[in-house]
Amino acid sequence: MKDRLVSECLRAFSKRQRMILFFLMALTVFLGLLFPLLLSADPQSVMPLSREYRPGELSDEDVIAPSDFSYIDDEATAEGTAEAARSVLPQFYYSISESMAIRERAEAFCQAVLVSGAEAFLSEEGIKDQESVGKRIDETLEGDKPLLSSLIRECVNYLIDEGVFSAEDLNEALSGGYTAVEIEETGLPFRYAGKSRNISSIIVSGESYEAISLMASGRYPDLPSAYSSLVSDAVSLLVTANVFYDPVLTTSLREEKAATVPPVLVEIHRGDYIIQRDTVVTEQQLRTVQRIYDAAVVSISFQRAMGYLVFLIFMTLILIYLLFFFIKYRYRLSLYTTIFLVGIDITLVLSFLFSRFLPEEGVHYIDPFLPLILMPSLASSITGRRRVGFSVALLLSAFVSIYPGSRAFSFFYFIAVIECCLMFIRFGSERIDIIYQTLFSSLSAAGVTVLVSFIYDLDFQIVFTSAIASALNVVFSYILISIVLPVVEKIFNIPTAFRLHELSFTDTPTLNRLSQVAPGTFNHSKNVSEMAYDACKAINANADLARVGGLYHDIGKAEHPEYFIENQTGKNAHDEINKTLSAAIIKSHVKLGVEKAKEIGLPQEVIDIISEHHGNDLIKYFYNEAVREAKENRSSMVSEEDFRYNGHIPQTVESAVVMLADCTEAATRTMKNPNHQKYEKFISNIIIDKMNYKQLNNSQLTINDLDKIKESFIHYLLGRDHQRIEYGKE
């Protein structure tokens, strides 16, 4: 069925119209793909800056995030990892072998002090004795040498236990800016293992003199200063570093520590202030701005562009299919499709311009400003169907939602706002209706905007501005519709609600002439018009179109009014001519009516009603008369085709309703003492008769519709033929 619908609609297009359709579809897809690419390639359109800033400067403006954005801040991450690595202190290890060597050397020296002499030992060990420590010890009194030996041994053990650090290693730590170091935990009997030590409290190799002097004087306050100095010099010769820097372990621990630092993720939400006016610009803020620029330029890859292209083609085809499905007048399909595609292209151009230049004015939440309401509302006003406007809204919302500044929720925001506006459209004729629909639509749009702004967690100032912008967007859209719609309906002769309302006035040249030359037909037409209007309202059809069609359906009778019984006051003009000619005259009013309708510029939909209001039905009265005369005169058989109307059977609901109203209004004039039951039976017979002659086959009327039409007719006729009391002569 879908394939049949598409093929049927395409047949309604001429070859030239099909070429125009495919060109406009291609243009729409091209613009839909081009504008996101242009906006993505132009970072200034995403977030413009008035000038280039440097860290530490005061900002001259507010810079607001145009959309949700997140990125890994490599610089901040690098700073974090460097800081984490730096938090690991330089690692030192306690050398047990070096400590044992120092202890053994000191023990041998102490023995030499008591036995062979300190100077000889130092010479044998190759220890340079610049301070003549050995000679000075050897020259001390023999009774004091045991004390000196014991002091030297005790001081050496103290230094071994405290740990003596390499001066070169400590200088490297100090050059790195560290004031403390950490001793590796090795399980050795060293009391500082696994602990950190302040460099200022560490004993450095070659600089242990002061520490030894303090220790010796502290433990032996009565020790002569000469002996204290001698012990310090001796220990300084014997003790070397036993705690050393471990660069491999330090590097490994720093790498492990750096690896635990997560990447710095910067998340920006649409509407957030990146830089605020009169505040100091930081390096972090400038990096964020630059990353948004960079992402804007390279955000659309080839694969994404191809995805966009397929998506846009798909959405365009959906729109065309929906138009094929919803526009019931096939001869309007080409015109409406062309108008809508051109309007969509213009809307896309305007939306691109808004998206490009509004950020330069400081507006970064641009959704409420985009002119997407105009075209769907215009499409609904032209066709009289909200679903057509919604189809156009679906395409526009999908196209604009892929703009770089849009959020994932933008599509639903556009649909919600446009749908609210479409629901308040009144296809009426009163000017107050325009005010009502503008007021309610603008309030609804503002309300939806506020709700979505709350979802986006925007600042109150932005929420207020966006709500006002969306309301004004609706107001300006309806102002433009009020200007554009009359022009469009005039140029293309489109039967909008306003146009049909104008045509429903009976004070027009054509209807005035009909009322003068054929007053009976004119009164009949007015009744048919009202009957069709009420019936179409009952079944939710286009009541305004049916009313106009009913008014003009018999304008062809103005050419030969005397041949139609409603205009006859005495002699019947058909009595003087044969029945075939009578039928030809009766049939001619349809053709004459169509010609007159085209001459005065009635919409094609009204012309169709004029052409179809008798279908190809049989003119029964004259046919039966002709058959009777043929039998009486024993002449040739009568051709039924000579007594059939030459029109098409009704193709629309409105046309079929006018046909039924026409027959019902005329036929019920002959009823005597009518009541509800008689009307119901009479109208049912008319409907059944039309169905038997297949006059309603293409009208799409259902049995339920026919029941409602019948009840509407009965209600009208009871009012038309109601009885009054008879007034007395006095």
Side-chain angles (χ1 to χ4, degrees):
M1 180 172 178
K2 294 179 180 178
D3 294 338
R4 186 174 63 186
L5 171 65
V6 174
S7 60
E8 176 188 343
C9 292
L10 287 177
R11 283 197 299 270
F13 288 77
S14 65
K15 183 178 180 180
R16 179 172 174 271
Q17 290 171 337
R18 283 196 293 268
M19 291 178 62
I20 294 175
L21 172 64
F22 290 129
F23 169 77
L24 290 175
M25 290 173 60
L27 178 62
T28 302
V29 172
F30 172 75
L31 294 178
L33 181 62
L34 174 66
F35 292 150
L37 294 177
L38 290 178
L39 291 172
S40 298
D42 182 9
Q44 288 296 320
S45 67
V46 177
M47 191 173 56
L49 292 178
S50 61
R51 64 182 179 88
E52 183 177 351
Y53 290 96
R54 296 182 181 277
E57 293 181 343
L58 283 178
S59 172
D60 301 331
E61 59 194 317
D62 290 328
V63 180
I64 301 174
S67 61
D68 290 342
F69 184 76
S70 63
Y71 70 95
I72 302 297
D73 191 333
D74 296 330
E75 291 81 357
T77 302
E79 292 175 0
T81 54
E83 187 65 28
R86 182 173 174 74
S87 67
V88 177
L89 296 175
Q91 299 294 305
F92 283 73
Y93 67 94
Y94 178 79
S95 175
I96 189 66
S97 61
E98 190 64 29
S99 299
M100 292 178 63
I102 295 170
R103 198 182 301 276
E104 290 175 358
R105 183 165 59 247
E107 186 63 31
F109 178 77
C110 290
Q111 290 295 328
V113 168
L114 298 174
V115 180
S116 58
E119 185 176 7
F121 177 83
L122 293 176
S123 177
E124 290 176 3
E125 293 293 327
I127 300 174
K128 293 181 180 182
D129 186 10
Q130 296 179 351
E131 301 294 332
S132 301
V133 174
K135 183 178 179 180
R136 288 160 55 195
I137 291 177
D138 290 342
E139 291 177 350
T140 59
L141 298 173
E142 289 296 328
D144 292 335
K145 286 182 179 180
L147 176 60
L148 291 175
S149 176
S150 177
L151 282 174
I152 291 172
R153 183 182 293 109
E154 188 175 350
C155 288
V156 168
N157 289 334
Y158 168 75
L159 291 179
I160 290 173
D161 291 341
E162 281 293 315
V164 179
F165 289 73
S166 167
E168 182 180 351
D169 289 347
L170 285 179
N171 287 335
E172 183 176 346
L174 287 170
S175 65
Y178 292 97
T179 59
V181 297
E182 188 170 350
I183 312 302
E184 178 184 352
E185 177 63 71
T186 59
L188 297 174
F190 182 53
R191 61 176 180 152
Y192 293 110
K195 299 179 181 179
S196 61
R197 297 189 64 184
N198 195 300
I199 292 179
S200 62
S201 66
I202 287 175
I203 301 173
V204 183
S205 175
E207 300 177 4
S208 59
Y209 182 88
E210 183 179 356
I212 297 170
S213 298
L214 289 174
M215 176 201 166
S217 61
R219 293 192 178 187
Y220 303 94
D222 297 333
L223 185 69
S225 59
Y227 279 7
S228 176
S229 175
L230 181 57
V231 170
S232 297
D233 290 339
V235 172
S236 297
L237 288 176
L238 297 172
V239 176
T240 58
N242 68 334
V243 181
F244 302 96
Y245 176 57
D246 190 344
V248 175
L249 178 62
T250 302
T251 302
S252 175
L253 291 177
R254 287 176 177 173
E255 289 178 351
E256 290 179 5
K257 188 69 172 179
T260 62
V261 178
V264 178
L265 177 65
V266 179
E267 292 186 348
I268 303 296
H269 297 288
R270 186 176 190 174
D272 289 348
Y273 284 96
I274 299 177
I275 300 175
Q276 286 187 297
R277 185 189 300 272
D278 297 330
T279 59
V280 177
V281 178
T282 65
E283 188 174 349
Q284 168 74 41
Q285 292 170 336
L286 293 179
R287 284 202 301 266
T288 300
V289 171
Q290 187 60 47
R291 290 300 294 267
I292 292 177
Y293 279 2
D294 295 341
V297 174
V298 298
S299 61
I300 297 186
S301 61
F302 176 78
Q303 291 88 342
R304 180 177 291 186
M306 290 299 99
Y308 282 169
L309 178 62
V310 174
F311 172 71
L312 296 176
I313 292 174
F314 176 71
M315 294 303 299
T316 304
L317 291 176
I318 286 181
L319 171 67
I320 299 302
Y321 177 80
L322 291 176
L323 293 182
F324 285 179
F325 191 80
F326 293 142
I327 298 176
K328 59 183 178 180
Y329 298 107
R330 296 302 177 215
Y331 49 80
R332 293 287 185 187
L333 191 56
S334 173
L335 173 64
Y336 286 164
T337 305
T338 301
I339 292 175
F340 298 157
L341 287 177
V342 170
I344 289 170
D345 293 342
I346 294 174
T347 303
L348 291 177
V349 172
L350 293 175
S351 299
F352 165 73
L353 295 177
F354 277 58
S355 301
R356 171 62 184 83
F357 295 109
L358 277 179
E360 294 185 359
E361 303 300 324
V363 179
H364 296 286
Y365 180 37
I366 63 173
D367 289 357
F369 292 85
L370 298 182
L372 302 187
I373 301 171
L374 175 61
M375 198 56 220
S377 300
L378 183 62
S380 294
S381 298
I382 288 175
T383 60
R385 311 192 78 176
R386 293 185 179 90
R387 61 187 66 181
V388 175
F390 182 76
S391 302
V392 174
L394 186 68
L395 180 71
L396 283 174
S397 301
F399 274 42
V400 177
S401 294
I402 66 174
Y403 281 12
S406 297
R407 296 187 176 191
F409 205 74
S410 293
F411 173 80
F412 302 101
Y413 166 73
F414 294 139
I415 289 294
V417 170
I418 297 172
E419 181 65 15
C420 286
C421 294
L422 294 180
M423 291 304 297
F424 284 113
I425 287 181
R426 298 188 177 190
F427 302 108
S429 55
E430 297 182 5
R431 286 173 293 181
I432 195 67
D433 289 340
I434 301 176
I435 297 177
Y436 281 142
Q437 71 185 37
T438 302
L439 176 62
F440 294 143
S441 297
S442 58
L443 291 177
S444 299
V448 172
T449 302
V450 170
L451 291 177
V452 173
S453 299
F454 288 161
I455 293 174
Y456 289 161
D457 196 21
L458 299 179
D459 291 340
F460 176 77
Q461 181 179 358
I462 299 177
V463 173
F464 179 76
T465 304
S466 301
I468 296 298
S470 61
L472 292 177
N473 191 345
V474 175
V475 173
F476 287 132
S477 295
Y478 280 120
I479 291 175
L480 286 175
I481 290 174
S482 301
I483 297 172
V484 173
L485 186 59
V487 176
V488 172
E489 69 184 21
K490 183 67 175 178
I491 293 175
F492 301 108
N493 201 13
I494 297 174
T496 65
F498 297 99
R499 173 97 165 112
L500 291 173
H501 180 67
E502 293 171 0
L503 292 173
S504 66
F505 288 114
T506 58
D507 189 17
T508 63
T510 301
L511 295 179
N512 280 337
R513 180 173 182 271
L514 183 66
S515 66
Q516 293 171 5
V517 301
T521 299
F522 178 71
N523 288 324
H524 162 73
S525 297
K526 288 198 298 182
N527 288 327
V528 170
S529 173
E530 293 304 316
M531 291 175 65
Y533 178 81
D534 293 341
C536 283
K537 284 183 65 176
I539 61 174
N540 294 320
N542 192 336
D544 290 324
L545 177 60
R547 169 185 277 168
V548 175
L551 277 177
Y552 286 88
H553 79 285
D554 273 346
I555 58 174
K557 292 182 178 180
E559 301 303 319
H560 304 289
E562 68 277 9
Y563 287 95
F564 298 92
I565 192 169
E566 67 267 22
N567 300 314
Q568 295 173 355
T569 56
K571 186 177 180 181
N572 190 338
H574 291 284
D575 294 341
E576 300 177 357
I577 58 176
N578 63 52
K579 305 310 177 199
T580 303
L581 181 57
S582 293
I585 294 173
I586 296 297
K587 288 192 296 183
S588 69
H589 87 274
V590 175
K591 180 180 178 182
L592 292 172
V594 170
E595 292 175 353
K596 184 63 177 177
K598 291 179 178 179
E599 179 184 335
I600 63 177
L602 292 180
Q604 184 61 45
E605 289 81 351
V606 179
I607 296 176
D608 287 345
I609 292 177
I610 297 173
S611 173
E612 298 169 358
H613 78 277
H614 283 300
N616 58 8
D617 206 358
L618 186 67
I619 307 175
K620 293 181 180 179
Y621 176 80
F622 292 109
Y623 175 72
N624 292 334
E625 287 295 309
V627 170
R628 182 182 60 77
E629 290 180 358
K631 288 181 179 180
E632 291 178 354
N633 299 330
R634 298 182 179 180
S635 59
S636 59
M637 293 299 295
V638 177
S639 174
E640 194 174 282
E641 290 302 316
D642 293 337
F643 292 87
R644 284 192 177 277
Y645 287 98
N646 299 323
H648 296 289
I649 63 174
Q651 303 296 306
T652 63
V653 170
E654 294 80 12
S655 186
V657 171
V658 171
M659 168 186 276
L660 294 174
D662 181 36
C663 294
T664 301
E665 204 283 332
T668 54
R669 289 286 184 179
T670 61
M671 292 184 64
K672 296 181 180 180
N673 300 320
N675 55 40
H676 188 285
Q677 185 177 2
K678 288 184 178 180
Y679 277 140
E680 182 175 12
K681 182 177 180 181
F682 195 87
I683 296 172
S684 296
N685 290 335
I686 291 176
I687 293 174
I688 292 171
D689 184 66
K690 294 300 180 185
M691 293 175 65
N692 289 338
Y693 281 94
K694 301 180 180 180
Q695 298 300 297
L696 305 179
N697 283 11
N698 294 345
S699 66
Q700 302 176 1
L701 286 173
T702 65
I703 298 299
N704 186 46
D705 290 337
L706 292 173
D707 287 339
K708 292 180 180 179
I709 291 170
K710 179 174 63 176
E711 289 301 321
S712 175
F713 286 174
I714 293 172
H715 179 77
Y716 181 85
L717 293 173
L718 288 173
R720 185 197 68 178
D721 298 334
H722 72 281
Q723 299 293 321
R724 291 181 180 269
I725 62 172
E726 184 176 351
Y727 290 91
K729 294 182 180 180
E730 296 181 357

